Amino acid sequence: MSLFERLDELAARGDPAALLTIVRKDGSAPRDVGDKMVVTAGETYGTIGGGTVEHLAVEDARAVLSGDEEPGVRTYELEPGGNTGMVCGGEMDVFVDRVRGRPRLYVAGAGHISADLAPLAERLGYAVTVVDDREDYADPEAFPEDTTVVHGDYGDELRDLPMGRETAVAVATRSGTFDQDAVGAALDGGAGYVGLVASETKADHVLDSLAADGYARRDLARVRTPVGLDLGGSGPAAVALSILAEVSMDRHDATGERATDLNLDDLAVVRGGGDLGSGVVYRLHRAGYPVVVTEVERPTVVRRAVAFGAALYEGEVSVEGVTGRRADDIDEAIEVLGNGDVPVLVDPDAAVADELDAAVLVDAIMAKGKFDTGTRCDDAGVVVGMGPGFEAGADVDAVVETDRGHELGRVFYEGTASDYDGEPGERRGYTHERVLRAPSDGPWEPTVAIGDTVAAGDVVGHVGDSPVETEIDGLVRGLVHGGLDVSEGTKLGDVDPRGESVDPTKISDKALCLGGGVLEAVLRLS
């Protein structure tokens, strides 16, 4: 029997194998370019030279078969000091490829689901066997010609069938006892996929009974139940499609996610692109959500090195590798999303959430309860408020605590966050002293930049003709954009007394913590 005939035989049985081919030879080597051998989990066929080099190649091939290594070229050095210990004096490259066996699908139960599942699986290349203990159901005429139909006990018949990683077993019998027998046989046989069609109560009973029989919970955790992917629809054909989709996903180690880069069904809108809201944007974006930021036309963004709202002034910003771009309308925002970036819109009321039917709306305006921002539960599928001014279960679905301390980032699904006390966060004993505020009304123009080091008494800018001085030494961590008309008392920036140990281009620990809280709420409530 030739090697290729052996491969065909293995594939027909559903047994995976590795095909080894010498693709390069340099100097003295035991075999020539093009020579091949076949390796399975327990056997070898043919040779690429014997000795240590073949032993190492077989080990590499089995690592590929087990999934521990990827297929590809392996180099073996046939000289003293080389990786084989051989002394032929040459070197050879061997391409190790994984040859998958024909996939098999065994269906326990010959009812309505299997009648739809069998032909669909055969269209995808599966060798299908249906088992049923009822003679009138185990009728070959009810299935495609190539389907093998077996009449007999579920457990006994499945245990007699060959199984392995290329085997999927779908269990859909009429009884929990029969389900238990079939699932146990599939686990004993090492099937790559085991799915159980059952209600939650029935599935729990089957798995608990198997655990009582001695099956390990780590093995029972492999049983897919509820079975199949959530594709929607109803009836046997829809269930069959969802089962086969899951079987295929597991077999190919795929994610089951949409292939499209943009899915507006998951759209998240964040009202407010300041540094704290930007921590939320960063977390949601990294978690895979398309995110739109809405702002007023000229936001007073203080820590603009880490604020997506700054894109309204600069056109484009980068916050720790995530790009924010100004978008002038919704169509442009969708284009920005399609490029994998974060659009920033002038949209104070977040009308885009309604127009695009957003899944998530986060109010990160940080009004601190001073005024009603207008955010309400019916603005999106999940609505989250940050800080005081919101009541979870009333005007929003969840509230995230923004006050520093033990509760920071905690999510409340009922009730409110702590009241705003007006006290800035403490840094090396300084609170109000580190905040730069406008001494009067007028246009603001800074004379320093974010990242500059300043000393107490330094003038950092002017509001009209009035100088703005820092009260402490430190590093300028935030500054409002120049050219804004501000009112007396407006926060213009902040100085961090920790100095150059602080990186103003890094999202703060507080912002990331709040982002984590929002992400928790979104995942829990979606």
Side-chain angles (χ1 to χ4, degrees):
M1 180 182 293
S2 72
L3 287 181
F4 291 107
E5 288 173 330
R6 179 68 70 183
L7 277 176
D8 286 342
E9 180 184 70
L10 292 168
R13 294 202 321 243
D15 295 335
L19 177 63
L20 283 63
T21 306
I22 300 174
V23 294
R24 184 184 68 88
K25 182 177 98 169
D26 184 17
S28 178
R31 295 300 299 270
D32 293 323
V33 171
D35 285 336
K36 297 174 172 60
M37 72 180 296
V38 172
V39 177
T40 69
E43 297 180 275
T44 64
Y45 308 93
T47 179
I48 57 169
T52 305
V53 64
E54 186 168 294
H55 174 75
L56 292 175
V58 169
E59 286 187 339
D60 289 340
R62 287 178 174 151
V64 169
L65 285 175
S66 68
D68 293 335
E69 300 286 346
E70 293 296 320
V73 175
R74 306 304 195 267
T75 298
Y76 302 102
E77 300 158 347
L78 312 175
E79 56 189 3
N83 59 359
T84 67
M86 298 179 71
V87 294
C88 300
E91 184 177 272
M92 67 182 193
D93 289 347
V94 177
F95 183 73
V96 182
D97 196 12
R98 187 173 190 269
V99 181
R100 304 190 75 147
R102 184 184 180 189
R104 293 179 295 238
L105 173 65
Y106 301 150
V107 185
H112 296 300
I113 291 174
S114 64
D116 285 304
L117 183 56
L120 184 58
E122 289 189 1
R123 288 282 301 274
L124 293 180
Y126 286 80
V128 181
T129 299
V130 177
V131 179
D132 202 290
D133 67 331
R134 298 164 293 181
E135 187 172 3
D136 53 334
Y137 274 75
D139 179 8
E141 295 297 323
F143 294 91
E145 183 179 351
D146 291 336
T147 300
T148 300
V149 181
V150 178
H151 171 228
D153 177 82
Y154 297 105
D156 291 343
E157 296 298 338
L158 286 173
R159 284 186 173 87
D160 284 342
L161 294 172
M163 289 194 196
R165 293 179 60 195
E166 297 291 326
T167 305
V169 179
V171 178
T173 79
R174 67 190 185 281
S175 160
T177 300
F178 298 145
D179 286 344
Q180 182 178 334
D181 291 343
V183 170
L187 292 174
D188 292 341
Y193 172 95
V194 185
L196 172 60
V197 181
S199 66
E200 184 176 347
T201 300
K202 183 180 179 183
D204 287 344
H205 173 73
V206 170
L207 297 181
D208 288 344
S209 297
L210 287 167
D213 287 344
Y215 286 86
R217 284 290 180 181
R218 62 179 174 272
D219 294 326
L220 296 174
R222 293 202 303 111
V223 179
R224 303 290 194 179
T225 187
V227 73
L229 301 184
D230 183 6
L231 303 179
S234 61
V239 174
L241 177 62
S242 73
I243 292 172
L244 198 57
E246 186 174 58
V247 169
S248 181
M249 181 186 74
D250 280 9
R251 180 171 182 258
H252 295 288
D253 195 25
T255 64
E257 296 177 354
R258 295 178 187 267
T260 180
D261 291 331
L262 178 60
N263 178 17
L264 291 180
D265 292 345
D266 295 329
L267 180 68
V269 174
V270 178
R271 296 184 69 186
D275 64 304
L276 297 183
S278 294
V280 173
V281 173
Y282 179 85
R283 288 288 201 202
L284 290 172
H285 178 85
R286 289 297 194 196
Y289 288 88
V291 187
V292 173
V293 177
T294 67
E295 263 291 1
V296 296
E297 186 171 0
R298 291 176 67 79
T300 52
V301 181
V302 177
R303 291 187 178 163
R304 47 193 166 93
V306 288
F308 289 102
L312 294 182
Y313 296 95
E314 299 165 26
E316 177 182 315
V317 296
S318 179
V319 178
E320 293 207 28
V322 178
T323 299
R325 300 183 192 276
R326 178 181 178 121
D328 292 330
D329 54 40
I330 290 178
D331 281 347
E332 194 172 320
I334 293 174
E335 182 180 0
V336 172
L337 287 170
N339 291 327
D341 298 327
V342 174
V344 184
L345 276 172
V346 175
D347 182 9
D349 298 324
V352 65
D354 181 59
E355 293 192 44
L356 293 182
D357 195 19
V360 177
L361 176 67
V362 181
D363 191 322
I365 292 175
M366 305 305 295
K368 302 173 183 177
K370 295 178 181 178
F371 61 88
D372 183 358
T373 64
T375 295
R376 296 294 183 268
C377 280
D378 58 1
D379 290 339
V382 176
V383 179
V384 182
M386 290 176 59
F390 306 99
E391 182 177 355
D395 46 22
V396 295
D397 298 306
V399 176
V400 178
E401 179 62 72
T402 58
D403 193 21
R404 284 193 179 274
H406 185 66
E407 298 292 303
L408 178 66
R410 191 175 296 276
V411 183
F412 301 104
Y413 299 96
E414 292 183 358
T416 64
S418 303
D419 292 335
Y420 177 59
D421 60 9
E423 191 74 11
E426 183 270 335
R427 292 285 185 276
R428 293 191 175 175
Y430 297 111
T431 55
H432 293 280
E433 300 90 343
R434 64 185 186 83
V435 179
L436 305 172
R437 294 195 180 276
S440 60
D441 297 349
W444 156 246
E445 289 297 338
T447 56
V448 296
I450 292 175
D452 287 350
T453 300
V454 294
D458 284 354
V459 174
V460 297
H462 295 82
V463 175
D465 295 329
S466 303
V468 178
E469 299 179 357
T470 174
E471 295 184 46
I472 63 172
D473 300 347
L475 179 135
V476 179
R477 194 175 181 192
L479 279 178
V480 171
H481 283 82
L484 284 175
D485 287 325
V486 298
S487 303
E488 182 179 354
T490 298
K491 183 177 178 179
L492 302 175
D494 68 85
V495 175
D496 197 310
R498 293 173 295 180
E500 294 182 356
S501 65
V502 174
D503 185 348
T505 67
K506 294 288 187 182
I507 301 172
S508 70
D509 55 347
K510 179 177 180 178
L512 289 175
C513 183
L514 298 180
V518 170
L519 187 57
E520 175 205 311
V522 170
L523 293 175
R524 175 173 172 176
L525 298 175
S526 295

